[in-house]
Amino acid sequence: MVLYVYVVWSLSDESLLAGLGAGDSEAAAAFVRRFQGRVFGLALTIVGDRERAEDVAQETFVRAWKHAGAFDPRRGGVTTWLLTIARNVAVDVVRLRRHEVVGSDVLLALQLPSGEPDPDERLIAAGESERVRRAVAILPEEQKRALVLAAFHGLTGREISEREGIPLGTVKTRIRTAMLKLRSALEVSDE
Amino acid sequence: MSERLSCEEARALAPELSLGSATGEERARVLHHLASCPDCRRLVSELSAVADELLLLAPAHEPPAGFESRVLARLSEGKTRGRTLRRFLGIAAVAVLAAAISGGGVFWAGRSDREVAARYQGVLALANGEYFSAAHLRDIHGTRRGLLFGYQGDTSWLFVSLHEPMDPGTYRVESMTRGRRVVLLASSVELSGLRPSWGTALPGDLHGVSGIRIRDEEGNRVLEARFPGK
């Protein structure tokens, strides 16, 4: 048993996800422990309070379990797949309380990250996140803000335009320009 | 759906689509274009990878104590509920039949009322239920787009069956109570498959549910059904 637990803990993200999907309780525990900091952190960044963030994070893991079979490693890693689920759940929650959306808090949280990830998590994603952070850092503030409101709050161009009091065309241009710059900086290719 | 987008128009919307912030209509139009344009599909794929990576910017935070065990408890509960729900969704097929009965459906034309009632009661007895109900799902123009079935029993449930696919995207399903309270039943429901349907076990009784509303990603009400007499 001890050996089995050790083996489970050393499995790749993909293997743990497969185990979660198959209903393996050890794999499920290892999966949750490996990703809970990142998932809860993203949820907290978006919804802004710990109670709702926990609801979001719990729902994220339930959906990951339900949809584990749909994960396609050709389209990205387990971390980003899981965070995308968390983001969508969190955006749903925020949308139900639209009047409470405070995008600037998200921006602050991203610029001044607080909270130490587990050493295990640092190994998983520190390299990736630092690369993205550097790429985003070079964007002009107004592009950064539009991008964050769209990416983390799922606000449409029109909603950002209304919130920020700027023309819709300007919002769309800022988002488009920012995304194309990031694609170039991160050298994303679909090859 | 509006006319087909040009590549230029699709590319202009690609960043918002990738970020998950396009409106329902924009999303549907771009996806329609992507179905036959590999170049734009590649662009969206690349931008989606960027959007995914942006989420890595959120700092990690330790969740509250006991989080892991609460998640594992939900997974364990979900396994049980999943089995139960599948069983009940199987019964939904029977509900379709029962609804056809109550609506004077053609399947049962010519049968005596007594025979129909006996079959209906037999189904309820088998499933330890009290009653079935059904209502038309209508769009904002009042056009019938599908059916909502409800079952009151040991586990009460709802089942939605649409006549034709909705636009691509995800939908939110809310139940309305007699006290006009709105309860979110599910978010991110996909109804664009060939034979769209969706079902869920209700957290409470069907008695208190007057109907459901289905909203698009923008929060717009796209379909609504109200049970008779509620």
Side-chain angles (χ1 to χ4, degrees):
Chain A
M1 182 65 182
V2 173
L3 178 62
Y4 175 65
V5 171
Y6 173 77
V7 169
V8 165
W9 276 91
S10 61
L11 287 175
S12 67
D13 296 346
E14 290 77 10
S15 302
L16 279 186
L17 179 61
L20 171 76
D24 182 315
S25 56
E26 291 296 341
F31 186 86
V32 172
R33 201 167 297 171
R34 185 173 293 182
F35 292 105
Q36 61 183 3
R38 284 216 152 265
V39 169
F40 181 75
L42 176 60
L44 185 60
T45 300
I46 295 176
V47 303
D49 77 71
R50 290 178 67 83
E51 193 178 334
R52 273 189 283 165
E54 167 156 358
D55 291 342
V56 168
Q58 282 193 21
E59 180 63 23
T60 300
F61 284 109
V62 171
R63 290 192 190 182
W65 163 65
K66 284 182 182 168
H67 302 294
F71 170 73
D72 181 353
R74 291 168 299 181
R75 299 178 63 182
V78 172
T79 308
T80 49
W81 178 78
L82 190 62
L83 291 182
T84 303
I85 296 175
R87 179 261 188 202
N88 291 340
V89 177
V91 164
D92 279 350
V93 167
V94 169
R95 278 191 172 278
L96 287 174
R97 298 167 173 82
R98 193 176 292 244
H99 61 285
E100 294 176 23
V101 174
V102 187
S104 56
D105 286 353
V106 175
L107 201 57
L108 278 175
L110 298 179
Q111 285 180 323
L112 303 168
S114 58
E116 285 296 310
D118 287 343
D120 193 21
E121 291 169 349
R122 198 177 287 133
L123 284 175
I124 299 164
E128 297 169 73
S129 58
E130 204 43 50
R131 204 167 65 95
V132 184
R133 194 178 305 279
R134 279 202 296 270
V136 172
I138 60 172
L139 296 175
E141 282 305 311
E142 66 273 14
Q143 287 179 18
K144 221 180 284 182
R145 186 171 175 79
L147 192 65
V148 162
L149 289 171
F152 287 85
H153 274 301
L155 293 186
T156 64
R158 184 167 301 285
E159 287 167 332
I160 297 173
S161 158
E162 287 166 3
R163 284 176 53 85
E164 304 286 292
I166 46 179
L168 176 60
T170 306
V171 173
K172 285 178 172 284
T173 302
R174 286 177 183 173
I175 293 174
R176 189 164 60 246
T177 309
M179 285 295 280
L180 293 176
K181 279 184 191 169
L182 288 180
R183 180 181 66 151
S184 171
L186 298 170
E187 295 176 335
V188 173
S189 164
D190 193 38
E191 295 307 315
Chain B
M1 193 175 290
S2 319
E3 64 186 70
R4 189 179 150 80
L5 291 180
S6 66
C7 281
E8 191 182 353
E9 291 169 317
R11 284 170 173 264
L13 289 169
E16 286 164 83
L17 177 78
S18 308
L19 288 165
S21 70
T23 65
E25 189 194 345
E26 288 170 341
R27 185 180 155 85
R29 295 184 72 197
V30 179
L31 290 177
H32 185 59
H33 175 89
L34 296 185
S36 58
C37 182
D39 286 345
C40 290
R41 211 158 49 225
R42 189 176 307 115
L43 174 69
V44 168
S45 171
E46 291 173 1
L47 293 179
S48 297
V50 171
D52 287 351
E53 290 204 45
L54 279 174
L55 300 179
L56 295 169
L57 287 177
H61 281 278
E62 272 309 302
F67 173 81
E68 181 188 325
S69 48
R70 287 191 290 278
V71 171
L72 295 177
R74 277 194 65 183
L75 295 182
S76 173
E77 176 193 329
K79 285 176 198 166
T80 314
R81 281 174 65 98
R83 279 197 296 271
T84 307
L85 185 58
R86 276 194 292 280
R87 184 159 58 85
F88 278 109
L89 292 184
I91 297 171
V94 182
V96 173
L97 221 52
I101 297 166
S102 60
V106 292
F107 297 115
W108 296 86
R111 302 249 178 196
S112 72
D113 287 349
R114 186 179 299 173
E115 187 178 352
V116 169
R119 284 178 181 269
Y120 185 71
Q121 285 172 346
V123 170
L124 290 174
L126 179 73
N128 195 26
E130 293 176 34
Y131 66 86
F132 287 112
S133 190
H136 289 290
L137 267 163
R138 297 175 190 271
D139 62 21
I140 54 171
H141 306 295
T143 308
R144 292 176 181 179
R145 300 288 302 273
L147 287 163
L148 167 68
F149 301 102
Y151 169 77
Q152 170 64 39
D154 193 9
T155 297
S156 300
W157 48 257
L158 293 174
F159 189 79
V160 166
S161 168
L162 300 185
H163 301 322
E164 54 190 37
M166 302 285 285
D167 286 338
T170 56
Y171 294 85
R172 204 164 72 220
V173 185
E174 302 168 344
S175 68
M176 298 170 290
T177 69
R178 286 178 168 178
R180 300 194 173 186
R181 205 159 59 85
V182 173
V183 177
L184 178 66
L185 295 175
S187 56
S188 306
V189 174
E190 292 186 2
L191 296 169
S192 53
L194 281 180
R195 302 175 68 124
S197 60
W198 170 85
T200 187
L202 285 170
D205 288 340
L206 184 67
H207 297 309
V209 176
S210 59
I212 66 162
R213 280 193 187 129
I214 298 180
R215 296 184 184 276
D216 64 15
E217 290 168 340
E218 294 304 297
N220 303 313
R221 177 168 56 87
V222 289
L223 294 175
E224 183 169 320
R226 284 183 182 276
F227 288 121
K230 292 191 177 179

